[in-house]
Amino acid sequence: MSHPRGKKKTVVAAAAAGAAGLVAAALVVGAQASAADPISLTLNYHCTFPLVGSQSLKVVINTDLPPAVNAGQATGAFDIKAVSTINADTVSGLGLIGATTLEGSATASAKVAAPGLDLPVSVPIALDKTNIPPSGEMNINATGKTPSLTFTQPGQAKITVGDLALKVTPRKADGSVTGITPDGTINAPCTQDPGQNNTLATITINGGGGTSTPPPTSDTPPPTSDTPPPTSATPPPTSDTPPPGGTKFVFGIDGKTALKALGSTAPIKGGFDADVDIAAKKFTGSLKLDATKTDFKLLGFLPGSADVKVVQNGTQSGELVGTGFKAHIKFDVFLPTVNLFGFPISTDPKCGTVSPSTSEMSTGDGFDLLKGGKLTGTYALSAFQNCGSFNDWISAFAKSDGNTLDLNLARQ
């Protein structure tokens, strides 16, 4: 049996867990000819999902199987019960995309090996619709029945559980899909972590008259449920090691800023890349904005213009809130060129704010981390420096509080 492992699941890994437990277990061969023994098997997988990449998944399978059956006798169906515990981090991740329920199906692979029989099995099964709690851990219970087979030769039958293929749909409270894919359905392949014992059971097949006949001899005896397969040279990933690259959000930016003191606006285009720690609900990121320009009228009638360059000051940060986020933005503002009456009065690229500007920005209602939405905030401009002989004059007119940022973010 595999040892218990910690789990670090993602938005859609919760759906995988419920399906995995039921499907993998449903591949077991039982028998009515002998008394059944309780069996429990824990398996760990890594599933590849859109948005979050490879994520771990833990499945616990419980059933009753006989230690022996008779050759030539059809086996009957046995009940299967599986429990998957979804941790609080995964529940939080599901909340980030607005999911309140999980439903779907899965297909599991397995193999039944016995004398004269090497049978690959592929079994589809439905996942019951399951409510997602607002916080804390989430248990998904699954039940099913084994198929029935007939072994024709005495020996040993080994039942091993293989990989999974998931097709699941997280839904919002109103029944709509979350938008994690165009149709809301996720197709996720799940590969078993290496170095595990994936043998659910080894069953003795008795010959005629109910006597036990040993299996054919070979140089390498068939493994039993008490003997794990050879371990991999590479240990399986643990929950302490995040998937390569982590969870990354990339947004395009299109919007505007209003400069209060100048009574003008400037268009804003660019992008924001964020590396997200879903468990901690925090992120760090990089802000890149294109150079822009603003036209203004000093005192309401003196025409002027300025080229504007915004440069992030250090790494940006923020917290995930609901299905959106709050961002703590810090940046420097430069005016490479300032014109008045069409004549340049400052052309120094170092003409910029003395102190960085900061803004506490929040996403609006209906923001979707999978699609985007509105992000707004306010900021102040400090005094300016390095603006040539007109520095004090430029600084006096540009310095201001209450400037606004109105941005539209589009997920890329």
Side-chain angles (χ1 to χ4, degrees):
M1 309 296 172
S2 63
H3 61 277
R5 286 181 48 196
K7 345 177 249 305
K8 185 178 181 181
K9 300 181 178 67
T10 63
V11 173
V12 289
L22 180 55
V23 177
L27 301 172
V28 180
V29 177
Q32 296 175 335
S34 304
D37 291 339
I39 292 175
S40 181
L41 177 66
T42 299
L43 288 172
N44 296 289
Y45 294 83
H46 269 74
C47 305
T48 302
F49 300 106
L51 179 65
V52 294
S54 178
Q55 297 293 330
S56 61
L57 169 68
K58 180 180 177 180
V59 180
V60 180
I61 305 166
N62 296 287
T63 189
D64 293 327
L65 293 175
V69 299
N70 291 329
Q73 181 177 1
T75 65
F78 281 79
D79 291 333
I80 298 296
K81 293 184 179 180
V83 179
S84 298
T85 301
I86 311 305
N87 65 12
D89 294 344
T90 301
V91 171
S92 296
L94 288 166
L96 292 176
I97 62 169
T100 61
T101 62
L102 298 167
E103 59 188 88
S105 62
T107 302
S109 65
K111 186 171 72 171
V112 180
L117 178 68
D118 189 1
L119 181 66
V121 183
S122 180
V123 178
I125 198 161
L127 172 66
D128 290 341
K129 189 174 183 179
T130 304
N131 292 325
I132 302 168
S135 61
E137 291 186 338
M138 173 183 177
N139 288 331
I140 298 180
N141 298 315
T143 59
K145 287 184 179 294
T146 67
S148 179
L149 292 177
T150 300
F151 299 106
T152 60
Q153 300 179 37
Q156 281 190 323
K158 186 177 73 167
I159 304 159
T160 55
V161 181
D163 294 337
L164 308 171
L166 304 172
K167 186 176 183 180
V168 292
T169 304
R171 293 187 181 274
K172 298 180 180 180
D174 61 2
S176 63
V177 297
T178 61
I180 193 167
T181 61
D183 64 356
T185 297
I186 300 160
N187 292 293
C190 301
T191 303
Q192 226 172 78
D193 290 351
Q196 298 182 91
N197 174 23
N198 65 346
T199 300
L200 186 64
T202 300
I203 301 173
T204 298
I205 307 169
N206 294 323
T211 59
S212 177
T213 303
T217 60
S218 64
D219 294 337
T220 303
T224 68
S225 59
D226 296 322
T227 304
T231 58
S232 168
T234 303
T238 67
S239 60
D240 294 331
T241 303
T247 303
K248 197 173 190 68
F249 292 89
V250 180
F251 294 100
I253 296 175
D254 187 4
K256 65 180 180 178
T257 181
L259 303 170
K260 185 176 180 180
L262 295 176
S264 67
T265 61
I268 293 180
K269 291 184 180 294
F272 183 71
D273 298 352
D275 290 310
V276 182
D277 183 340
I278 291 180
K281 291 190 174 181
K282 294 182 178 180
F283 65 86
T284 57
S286 175
L287 176 67
K288 296 180 181 180
L289 298 180
D290 299 341
T292 187
K293 183 178 181 179
T294 184
D295 295 315
F296 55 84
K297 289 186 177 180
L298 294 182
L299 305 176
F301 65 94
L302 299 175
S305 66
D307 295 328
V308 182
K309 184 178 180 181
V310 177
V311 180
Q312 70 172 4
N313 188 299
T315 300
Q316 312 299 292
S317 64
E319 298 83 40
L320 301 176
V321 180
T323 59
F325 62 87
K326 290 184 178 180
H328 315 299
I329 305 299
K330 187 176 182 181
F331 55 92
D332 297 301
V333 177
F334 297 91
L335 305 177
T337 302
V338 181
N339 299 301
L340 192 61
F341 297 109
F343 296 97
I345 60 174
S346 175
T347 58
D348 192 330
K350 296 189 297 295
C351 173
T353 49
V354 173
S355 302
S357 297
T358 59
S359 180
E360 300 297 305
M361 305 193 70
S362 298
T363 53
D365 293 340
F367 188 91
D368 189 334
L369 284 170
L370 299 171
K371 297 179 181 178
K374 291 188 176 297
L375 178 67
T376 60
T378 61
Y379 66 97
L381 290 175
S382 70
F384 279 71
Q385 61 184 352
N386 303 316
C387 300
S389 57
F390 287 91
N391 184 91
D392 292 345
W393 187 86
I394 292 172
S395 182
F397 280 99
K399 181 180 177 181
S400 59
D401 295 320
N403 305 298
T404 61
L405 286 163
D406 292 286
L407 308 179
N408 292 306
L409 273 59
R411 183 69 191 275
Q412 297 181 340

